[in-house]
Amino acid sequence: MPRRIPIFYSALLLTGVNLVLRVVGTSFQVYVSRQIGPGGVGLLQLVMSVGGLAMVAGMAGVRTAAMYLTAEELGRDRRGNVRWVLSGCFRYSLVCSVAVALGLYLLAPQIAMRWIGDVRTVAALRLFGAFLPVSCLCGVLTGYFTAAGRIGTLSAVEIAEQLLTMGITVGLLKHWAGQNAVRACLCVILGSGLGGCLTLAALSLLRLAQRQVTASKIPVARRLRETALPLAAADVVRSGINTAENLMVPRRLALNPAVASPLGAFGLVSGMVFPVLMFPACILYALAELLIPELARCAAAGSGRRIRYLVRRSLKTALLYGLIFGGLEVLLADWLCLGLYKSPEAARFLRLYALLIPMLYCDAITDAMTKGLGQQKICVRYNILTSAMDVAFLYLLLPKYGMTGYFVSFFLTHLVNFGLSLRRLLKIARVAVPLHIPMLAAASALAAGWAGWQLSQPALRCAAFVAALGSLLCLTGVLGREELNWVKGLLRPKNRPS
């Protein structure tokens, strides 16, 4: 049997690509923020929130469904069936995306006037709808290439797409949009849409160039419905409520006399702080992207031991990674936000939200593993519950507490969602997590953060924090011989067939 590349090395490759793309994307976000200011960023966030809802509705869960169903067929060594899986996913995606695109085009004036509050955004919404089917079909193919282990191919195409997108967008922003937020929206949407066209063409040609394995036609509709529809429901509900939140936040903030610029305050957090907050997560997103098909293959093959190993290892990795970067962002908040945005207020918010990084990063990994084990319907319930809680909290807290209420709502709803998802994952994977491990890790991070805070230079702060954290994790037994042997095995793998 030919050797299959271990998940670590696939994740390492995808991590490098995600890191490059995230650097480019964050740099672009900083450039746009400087061009149009916090108020313009707030308007851009509202337009993209509506576009994001349309994208989620048009995608209708097909990307994860294509990845999951492909991984199932490959895990059972039925490669010929992949053709019929992709065919069904393409038809499903076309129907959903074209319907949503048509609805967005027709309703754009009402959405711009009643939701966004700026009728000049009609053209941006309609342009987004024109490219929507292309983006959704790209989702099918990227799901397939991820499940098939073609990470190198997918990475090269994604880099080419990003370069084209950034080139077109930056050129238009510089020579046409200027400081006009509405024109900036058109530039971003047009650049992204043309980049999606490149990705669709490239991945389609690469798929057609593969040697096709023939197999009798199989029914896919029922499996696709069972996989995609729960995901679509969860994603649409969550995205819809998130869009409603984003549109509601400036209006409810306007009722607080202490907030001088509601749109500017919203743009500061959502358009400036959050990109920096989630920047390091691109490495974990690479792991999460691969865990879905990996766990689906393991479940199809009945490999419970492998599932338990991946769950334990991934959760611990996400926890330690989140503690490291959470501490670094707390210590470097002033240096980052003053250097990027010239904004002390952004630094204050980043320091506050960075305390939640360990939970947010663990939640991302937990969500991916839960989907990989076929628990999409359960995710729907959790997402509906926590999203409804978020709307209620924001509606009640923003007029009285301003952006502090926004933080409280963000923290509570993410905590509840993470707790429910983790409980479900541990139950279905039959894994027990000792409570003392996260407690000792958190205590070590707090002590190391205090040590780093005593120093004034950013480089010395980082070095002291990382050294203290590593030492404390080893002394408390959170990092033991098992983890060190695991790292050695990754760096010097044995030549064994998988």
Side-chain angles (χ1 to χ4, degrees):
M1 175 183 286
R3 292 180 62 202
R4 183 162 57 87
I5 298 177
I7 188 174
F8 170 77
Y9 297 103
S10 296
L12 194 62
L13 175 60
L14 197 56
T15 292
V17 175
N18 283 353
L19 188 59
V20 171
L21 297 180
R22 186 59 67 91
V23 168
V24 173
T26 304
S27 301
F28 170 71
Q29 190 78 24
V30 172
Y31 173 77
V32 173
S33 301
R34 289 179 174 177
Q35 286 285 107
I36 61 179
V41 172
L43 181 62
L44 178 61
Q45 290 295 317
L46 295 182
V47 174
M48 298 311 293
S49 293
V50 175
L53 174 59
M55 175 67 74
V56 168
M59 192 74 71
V62 73
R63 185 180 186 277
T64 302
M67 187 189 308
Y68 183 81
L69 295 178
T70 299
E72 274 194 335
E73 298 302 331
L74 294 177
R76 292 168 180 161
D77 198 22
R78 301 189 304 216
R79 296 182 176 274
N81 292 346
V82 172
R83 172 189 175 188
W84 305 113
V85 168
L86 290 180
S87 177
C89 289
F90 265 108
R91 291 195 299 269
Y92 173 84
S93 181
L94 276 173
V95 170
C96 295
S97 61
V98 170
V100 173
L102 183 60
L104 181 61
Y105 182 89
L106 296 175
L107 297 175
Q110 288 80 8
I111 294 173
M113 181 174 60
R114 298 180 182 178
W115 291 14
I116 300 175
D118 193 328
V119 295
R120 297 174 300 164
T121 59
V122 171
L125 294 173
R126 286 178 168 171
L127 183 63
F128 193 97
F131 286 110
L132 184 60
V134 173
S135 300
C136 295
L137 292 177
C138 285
V140 175
L141 288 172
T142 54
Y144 160 73
F145 276 92
T146 301
R150 299 285 301 277
I151 304 302
T153 301
L154 188 58
S155 300
V157 173
E158 287 182 346
I159 290 176
E161 175 193 355
Q162 190 69 14
L163 291 175
L164 178 64
T165 298
M166 293 298 297
I168 294 173
T169 305
V170 171
L172 289 173
L173 285 171
K174 184 176 180 180
H175 298 291
W176 181 62
Q179 297 183 345
N180 188 306
V182 177
R183 287 190 175 185
C185 294
L186 289 170
C187 296
V188 172
I189 294 169
L190 181 60
S192 178
L194 294 176
C197 292
L198 173 66
T199 297
L200 180 60
L203 293 182
S204 299
L205 291 174
L206 289 169
R207 168 60 186 168
L208 293 173
Q210 289 180 331
R211 185 175 63 88
Q212 303 295 324
V213 179
T214 59
S216 302
K217 187 175 181 180
I218 61 170
V220 177
R222 182 182 61 83
R223 294 169 62 197
L224 183 57
R225 286 197 305 269
E226 292 177 352
T227 305
L229 291 182
L231 286 172
D235 291 342
V236 169
V237 168
R238 169 174 278 187
S239 182
I241 296 180
N242 286 342
T243 301
E245 291 171 8
N246 291 337
L247 298 174
M248 178 182 68
V249 167
R251 298 180 182 182
R252 299 298 291 175
L253 281 175
L255 300 178
N256 188 311
V259 180
S261 173
L263 196 60
F266 173 68
L268 185 75
V269 173
S270 63
M272 296 182 177
V273 173
F274 282 177
V276 178
L277 183 79
M278 300 307 293
F279 175 81
C282 64
I283 296 177
L284 281 183
Y285 288 154
L287 176 61
E289 185 83 358
L290 295 169
L291 280 172
I292 295 176
E294 181 72 14
L295 288 173
R297 282 192 291 264
C298 293
S303 186
R305 182 179 178 183
R306 171 73 172 165
I307 290 174
R308 289 189 291 273
Y309 171 81
L310 286 174
V311 169
R312 287 194 297 266
R313 183 65 64 197
S314 300
L315 285 175
K316 195 167 188 179
T317 299
L319 173 63
L320 298 179
Y321 185 85
L323 289 172
I324 292 172
F325 280 95
L328 290 177
E329 291 203 15
V330 169
L331 295 174
L332 298 177
D334 290 321
W335 181 76
L336 287 170
C337 290
L338 290 177
L340 293 174
Y341 306 117
K342 312 296 183 185
S343 173
E345 190 176 6
R348 180 173 64 86
F349 279 116
L350 178 60
R351 191 177 298 112
L352 182 64
Y353 280 91
L355 298 173
L356 308 183
I357 282 180
M359 178 185 70
L360 297 176
Y361 288 10
C362 287
D363 188 32
I365 291 295
T366 301
D367 183 68
M369 291 192 289
T370 305
K371 290 179 180 177
L373 293 174
Q375 299 297 302
Q376 292 86 357
K377 293 181 180 179
I378 296 296
C379 292
V380 173
R381 303 175 193 173
Y382 298 160
N383 291 336
I384 292 175
L385 171 64
T386 54
S387 296
M389 288 174 54
D390 204 16
V391 169
F393 285 148
L394 289 173
Y395 187 86
L396 295 172
L397 296 177
L398 289 180
K400 185 175 182 180
Y401 299 103
M403 293 306 293
T404 301
Y406 188 91
F407 172 79
V408 171
S409 176
F410 183 90
F411 167 66
L412 291 178
T413 54
H414 281 78
L415 178 64
V416 171
N417 188 76
F418 172 58
L420 294 173
S421 300
L422 180 63
R423 176 176 174 272
R424 183 64 182 179
L425 174 65
L426 298 180
K427 180 179 180 180
I428 60 175
R430 298 181 181 179
V431 172
V433 175
L435 185 60
H436 71 279
I437 295 294
M439 294 181 64
L440 288 174
S444 300
L446 289 174
W450 178 85
W453 192 258
Q454 307 309 307
L455 303 172
S456 58
Q457 294 296 326
L460 293 178
R461 279 186 171 187
C462 294
F465 171 73
V466 173
L469 180 60
S471 302
L472 289 172
L473 291 176
C474 290
L475 289 174
T476 56
V478 177
L479 287 178
R481 181 172 298 179
E482 179 184 357
E483 283 73 27
L484 297 177
N485 291 335
W486 177 64
V487 172
K488 291 179 182 178
L490 294 175
L491 298 177
R492 294 184 295 179
K494 299 178 181 180
N495 293 325
R496 295 179 298 181
S498 61

